[in-house]
Amino acid sequence: MNGYIHLSFIDLSLATSLLLFITILSMVLSIGIGRTVIIAATRLVLQLLLVGFILLKVFALQSFWYSLLVVIVMMLAASREIVARLKSGIKWRWTLGISGTVTGIVTLIVSFVALNTALRPHPWYDAKYFIPLTGMILGNVMSAASLSLKGLLDIIQREQRTIEARLALGHTRGETFNPLIRQAVVIGIMPLINQMSAAGIVTLPGTMSGQILAGINPFDAAKYQILLMLLISSAGILAAIGVSFLAVLRITDHRDRLRIDHLFKK
């Protein structure tokens, strides 16, 4: 099992025809999703082709600083995406700071550990390993952090009077918010738990499927997928916990008072 199947633009156009069929079907049935599908598909094609071209250059340079620059841009985009998924009543600067700090630290730590222990490329910042691994971890960190942060802020808004009453009765910040943090973390990590539970039985995860299509031994591909799933899940859980605790620290003060104005616009 060697090599991989080369795809031409004609092959890609055949896959595109399926989306065109869906768009036509949407128009016939008056579902109204055709425009959304076309825009999303266009962004997919342009973004991935652009990234593929950039990575081709970065891989050839083998520079730590260029690789780090690409990763930083990805992290900034992920942080902005987290804030964009929240309600408009959020103060975006502090929320961006919380999400950016957690996603950046967690992603870099987990990537660094993986590159210097399990994978061990030479050099460890080899762009062919550093950027794809960081991208996979970052995508799941972004999802977990976004879901947890949104869940926590929604709970705080909904339970504001109850939270204030508990604090007024003498409950500490930890006693009041730990159950809410627990709920938010569960919301954030549930997709990761579902992925781990269904992997191999319900679905063949993307990395494993891609490696098999590229000619890798299925058993070796399974080991790579296990490693990546464990890394991704660990990073996602850490991110969910991190954004939840930082949000609680920001939305309260040193006197254990609820300061909802710190994260929400008046």
Side-chain angles (χ1 to χ4, degrees), residues 179-231:
L180 308 184
I181 291 175
R182 190 179 305 115
Q183 293 180 49
V185 171
V186 169
I187 292 172
I189 69 173
M190 192 54 63
L192 293 172
I193 301 299
N194 291 337
Q195 285 182 37
M196 287 192 289
S197 301
I201 297 178
V202 179
T203 63
L204 283 180
T207 301
M208 181 177 177
S209 300
Q211 287 188 318
I212 291 174
L213 289 174
I216 300 296
N217 182 293
F219 190 73
D220 289 333
K223 290 190 290 184
Y224 269 100
Q225 186 64 64
I226 291 170
L227 172 66
L228 291 175
M229 287 296 295
L230 293 176
L231 293 172

Side-chain angles (χ1 to χ4, degrees), residues 68-260:
L68 184 61
L69 177 62
V70 172
V71 169
I72 289 174
V73 171
M74 292 164 61
M75 290 178 178
L76 292 175
S79 301
R80 187 247 172 221
E81 186 65 24
I82 292 173
V83 177
R85 296 181 183 184
L86 300 175
K87 294 181 178 179
S88 57
I90 303 297
K91 288 185 175 180
W92 68 270
R93 290 183 180 178
W94 270 103
T95 311
L96 183 64
I98 291 171
S99 59
T101 299
V102 172
T103 55
I105 292 175
V106 169
T107 301
L108 288 177
I109 289 176
V110 174
S111 299
F112 181 80
V113 170
L115 290 168
N116 285 276
T117 56
L119 297 177
R120 296 188 299 277
H122 183 74
W124 68 267
Y125 54 83
D126 188 335
K128 290 184 292 184
Y129 295 88
F130 182 34
I131 295 176
L133 177 66
T134 303
M136 284 186 286
I137 293 173
L138 181 60
N140 287 272
V141 163
M142 180 189 73
S143 177
S146 174
L147 290 172
S148 293
L149 188 57
K150 184 179 186 307
L152 179 65
L153 296 181
D154 287 346
I155 293 171
I156 291 174
Q157 282 187 305
R158 187 172 63 249
E159 304 291 338
Q160 181 180 351
R161 294 184 182 276
T162 303
I163 294 170
E164 290 175 337
R166 288 177 61 85
L167 293 173
L169 290 171
H171 291 273
T172 65
R173 177 165 52 188
E175 292 172 339
T176 303
F177 283 98
N178 281 351
L180 308 184
I181 291 175
R182 190 179 305 115
Q183 293 180 49
V185 171
V186 169
I187 292 172
I189 69 173
M190 192 54 63
L192 293 172
I193 301 299
N194 291 337
Q195 285 182 37
M196 287 192 289
S197 301
I201 297 178
V202 179
T203 63
L204 283 180
T207 301
M208 181 177 177
S209 300
Q211 287 188 318
I212 291 174
L213 289 174
I216 300 296
N217 182 293
F219 190 73
D220 289 333
K223 290 190 290 184
Y224 269 100
Q225 186 64 64
I226 291 170
L227 172 66
L228 291 175
M229 287 296 295
L230 293 176
L231 293 172
I232 286 169
S233 300
S234 300
I237 295 170
L238 288 174
I241 295 172
V243 294
S244 299
F245 271 97
L246 284 184
V248 167
L249 289 177
R250 178 57 189 164
I251 212 167
T252 55
D253 60 19
H254 65 283
R255 295 172 58 187
D256 285 355
R257 295 180 300 179
L258 181 65
R259 296 298 305 273
I260 202 165

